Amino acid sequence: MTARRVGGTEIFLPDRIGKILTERLGVFLLAERDRWVLWLPVAVGLGISLYFAVSFEPPSWVGGVLLALCLGGAWLGRKVAAVWTVMAVMALVAGGFTVAQLRSAWVAAPVLERPSGKVTLSGLAAEVEPLAGGGQRVTLDHVSMAMDGPVPHRVRLRFKTDQPIPVGAKVSVAAILTPPPQPSLPGAFDFARHAWFQGLGAVGTALGPPDIEMAEGGGGLNAIRAAIGRRIMAVLPGAIGAVAQALITGEVGAIPRDVLDAYRDSGLAHLLSISGLHMSLLAGLVFFVVRGGLALWPTVALSYPIKKWAAAFAILATFLYMLLAGAPVPAQRSFLMTGIVLAAVLLDRAALSMRLVAWAAVVVLVIAPEALIGPSFQMSFAAVAALIAAYEVVSPRVAQWQIQHRGWHHQVGLYLFGVLFSSLVAGLATTVYGGFHFHRLAVWSVLANMVAVPLTGFLVMPFAVLALVLMPLGLEGVALAPMGWGVDAVNRVAVAVAAWPAAGQRLPVLPIEGLAIFTLGGLWLLLWRTRWRLWGLAAMAAGLATFVLVRPPDIVVDSRGYSFGVRTGDGALLVNRGGRLVRESWDRRAGPLAAERWPKAGRSADGRLGCDGLGCLYRAPAGPVALVQDEAGIEAACVAAVAVVAAVPLRQACRGPHTVIDRFDLWRRGAHALWLEPGRARIETVAGWQGDRPWAHRPHRRKKPEPTEPPVEAED
């Protein structure tokens, strides 16, 4: 032992301290040997995160080479446990990176380069979704049209007409197309990336009724989904039918905006996403009915494994339900977990719940690695992992309590405790992820779920399953009517709770680094079992502490110079104009939006913003900033301001200010956010935030010569 005495006190040298820590770490890890496998999806997810985090598109060979090197290192170091472990983990990370890279290349499809103007196009209707405000949203596959540049294979159009468009039909229509919208601010939801992984090359609006020609072969499951939705809406019109349709087919477009907001603010939005609750109820109902029905035949019950037959039927039913819902990430995760549990019944094996979550996560990440960065995957797996970890702790105590309390009132109390406890755990687990993506906190979600979850479980979902069974016979109305009563009750709960004081609270922006730290801390807390799991709480707290590091921008401007926003004296964002999507995005990322109207001529209430017919002057503490809307205001703006943001081209006309952003800058780099500081302005752009990725905003990298002026896009 190496030590040094100082004043009669023995002090260990650093190498000795390191050895002690290493030994203690080894003891902890060995004690958790059976939990190592749970970190497999974490390593894969880390590799996927690295792919999306880099600011450039890696060469196609990078992932495969890294994976081969790591596997080779693991093989060479297989006789040394530490080396093999490190290289195996690195191979999993490289595997996640490779999977994401391959997936991005696999889904690559032509993307519209610029707004098309009026064009005539045709394609096969792959998806038809009714919209709450009237009309419908139709996704066309195998698109053809006459235009310069790449022609998208897949296009999404909004039709104002309610004329039925059968799924699988050939549709021809005149429309205006635009590329998938880029983020409205750096860090905002990237629809362009979402569209890339869906193979969606353009979005637009139909200019008139379509010409429809029925094609051979129909539309497969999408056609069945659309037909089921129409029959549900025929029996249950309005918001009740729209919610019922969402629960059965996963289509939420027909739900009125106020009802969606009520579900969100009451904490019941998870009920509209087909996930564990719906899948487990369906599996349990099918299992019970099949096994109970076969048990009525003594010869069959005594001669055949009816329990396994029931499990097989339940697997088939949940698989078809997942396909019917369009296979969203929560449904995939729920089907995988439910399927593994039922497979354990087939194989006479006991299922380990946390391992189910781990393997389900691996399968989802391999199939759709882009799901990792979306709210559905994050919130779904966070809730399930937290619930399983929590019940691992309380289950022994609950089992002991059940032995001593067997009365019916005890069972009712236990059920209510389960609903309350599950809602509380799931709510806490998903709050941070919901706050990161949606910047909202449902304060009363636990109370709302205590009422809505039993209604959904005992009234809504059983009749939803019965409606699907009766639909081929044309008798679905028998089951849809009581299902509608349950849906109406849940809707009323959502609306009532959303109206309570402080029901939907706004949350500040959490930086991505904070979310990553919080997630790693949460995984450490949930996946380990011994006391060192509590170290994860410190990391979670550190991640949440990054809330205070975020300062919203002082000025924001969209990619056209059409919408401006400036910070008022009370911290709100005063916006001149913009469509609903832009305003909602700015409210979440840079808001809250000010109730005050933008002054067309005069000053804002705090005196910071003054406007006339040529533009505005924003008097910030760091110096005045000119917001130019008309070329006639360029000269005065360049003289009076330390920074100029212009919706018109400035070229070389403005040399005085330190910071100049004109129409060409906005066109090339997308929306801008500015933080004003004494002597300089820090600028972030959408193009800089996205990096050089296939889905990124990049009009300045086209091979064709740039036009003398940026294209004019339609207003929101």
Side-chain angles (χ1 to χ4, degrees), residues 110-124 140-157 170-180 200-205:
V111 177
L112 192 69
E113 290 185 342
R114 57 176 65 86
S116 66
K118 182 179 179 180
V119 295
T120 300
L121 59 90
S122 62
L124 297 179
L140 299 179
D141 278 343
H142 308 294
V143 172
S144 61
M145 58 181 157
M147 64 176 299
D148 295 332
V151 176
H153 297 163
R154 187 176 175 89
V155 169
R156 180 178 294 168
L157 294 178
K170 183 178 181 180
V171 176
S172 299
V173 68
I176 293 178
L177 301 178
T178 63
L200 195 64
V203 297
T205 302

Side-chain angles (χ1 to χ4, degrees), residues 63-79 83-96 98:
V65 170
L66 290 176
L67 179 59
L69 290 175
C70 292
L71 291 175
W75 172 259
L76 294 175
R78 63 189 183 280
K79 295 184 179 179
V83 174
W84 183 90
T85 301
V86 170
M87 296 308 299
V89 172
M90 292 180 63
L92 290 172
V93 174
T98 304

Side-chain angles (χ1 to χ4, degrees), residues 283 287 310-312 314-315 318 337-347:
F287 184 88
I315 291 175
T318 52
M337 294 182 61
T338 306
I340 294 175
V341 170
L342 294 170
V345 174
L346 292 174
L347 300 174

Side-chain angles (χ1 to χ4, degrees), residues 181-247:
Q182 296 292 333
S184 59
L185 273 183
F189 173 64
D190 194 345
F191 180 81
R193 180 177 60 196
H194 175 74
W196 174 266
F197 284 96
Q198 287 191 326
L200 195 64
V203 297
T205 302
L207 299 179
D211 293 328
I212 300 175
E213 177 184 346
M214 292 304 299
E216 296 181 1
L221 280 172
N222 287 337
I224 296 174
R225 184 184 305 120
I228 291 174
R230 289 193 296 270
R231 294 175 71 166
I232 292 172
M233 296 298 290
V235 178
L236 301 173
I240 296 175
V243 172
Q245 182 180 3
L247 294 174

Side-chain angles (χ1 to χ4, degrees), residues 644-655:
V644 175
V645 183
V648 295
L650 295 181
R651 306 183 190 278
Q652 302 299 320
C654 204
R655 297 179 179 272

Side-chain angles (χ1 to χ4, degrees), residues 99 199 338 378 414 443 510 687:
V99 165
T338 306
Q378 295 171 9
L414 183 62
V443 176
L510 178 68

Side-chain angles (χ1 to χ4, degrees), residues 56 58 132 150 191 194 198 210 253 260 276 341 361 375 392 441 455 518 539 543 551 606 665 691:
F56 59 93
F191 180 81
H194 175 74
Q198 287 191 326
L260 275 176
V341 170
E392 285 178 346
L441 172 64
L455 282 172
F518 176 86
R551 173 191 162 197
D606 61 0
D665 295 315

